[in-house]
């Protein structure tokens, strides 16, 4: 799976869109390593760590943004974020023991699929809420 950015993914908040594009790039980077058969390496460990940190930072900012704009999807957004963090943490604890390529590929697919669906069905609702902000 290679993630390609589309204009339809835009939330209307440049900082959040930039973060989404950055997360796409990290997921794609992981996909490239998997393609090359690399899974048990410091490069993969570092990438997973960066993904985790960037995603958590992004989630916090996006959740705050939705609250500020009274977005009706704010609660669902937060719940889905928690779901992905759960997938990430579960994977990390299993990956630590097994270091299996199949496990990493499974995580890559799950994270990429989650991301596309989440942006399309939840995040883009921000677009229609931006006018409500009073500052
Ligand atoms: Fe989100």
């Amino acid at each position: 799976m290679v993630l390609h950015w589309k204009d339809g993914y835009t939330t209307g908040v440049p900082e959040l869109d930039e973060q989404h594009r950055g997360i796409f790039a990290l997921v794609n980077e992981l996909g490239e390593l998997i393609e090359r058969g690399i899974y048990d390496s410091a490069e993969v460990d570092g990438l997973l760590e960066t993904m985790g940190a960037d995603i958590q930072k992004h989630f916090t900012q996006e959740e705050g943004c939705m609250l500020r704009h009274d977005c009706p999807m704010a609660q669902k957004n937060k719940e889905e974020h928690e779901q992905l963090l759960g997938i990430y943490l579960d994977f990390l604890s299993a990956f630590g023991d097994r270091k299996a390529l199949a496990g990493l590929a499974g995580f890559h697919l799950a994270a990429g699929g989650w991301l596309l669906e989440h942006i399309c069905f939840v995040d883009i609702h921000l677009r229609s809420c931006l006018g409500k902000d009073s500052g």
Side-chain angles (χ1 to χ4, degrees):
M1 167 190 276
V2 180
L3 301 177
H4 298 284
W5 183 261
K6 293 180 189 166
D7 287 345
Y9 298 154
T10 304
T11 63
V13 182
E15 193 183 3
L16 297 179
D17 292 331
E18 194 51 45
Q19 290 168 355
H20 279 158
R21 279 192 287 270
I23 295 167
F24 270 40
L26 292 173
V27 172
N28 287 339
E29 213 177 303
L30 182 63
E32 281 168 29
L33 291 173
I34 293 167
E35 286 273 304
R36 286 160 50 202
I38 298 169
Y39 57 97
D40 189 3
S41 77
E43 202 178 355
V44 171
D45 291 346
L47 185 54
L48 288 171
E49 206 172 300
T50 303
M51 278 176 86
D54 286 9
I55 285 172
Q56 289 192 58
K57 185 179 162 212
H58 164 67
F59 282 175
T60 303
Q61 286 192 22
E62 193 185 74
E63 286 166 18
C65 187
M66 280 202 179
L67 286 176
R68 280 196 305 279
H69 291 92
D70 286 330
C71 182
M73 295 301 264
Q75 183 58 30
K76 185 173 174 56
N77 187 40
K78 193 172 163 51
E79 285 165 13
E80 289 202 3
H81 288 173
E82 280 161 14
Q83 189 186 49
L84 182 74
L85 288 175
I87 291 171
Y88 172 77
L89 292 173
D90 285 351
F91 164 72
L92 274 195
S93 55
F95 187 67
D97 299 332
R98 295 205 304 270
K99 299 270 180 190
L101 182 60
L104 189 62
F107 169 72
H108 173 251
L109 268 182
W114 182 94
L115 198 58
L116 289 182
E117 201 172 313
H118 176 78
I119 289 176
C120 288
F121 291 101
V122 178
D123 291 344
I124 59 164
H125 285 273
L126 250 177
R127 263 198 319 240
S128 55
C129 304
L130 294 178
K132 293 183 197 169
D133 190 23
S134 55

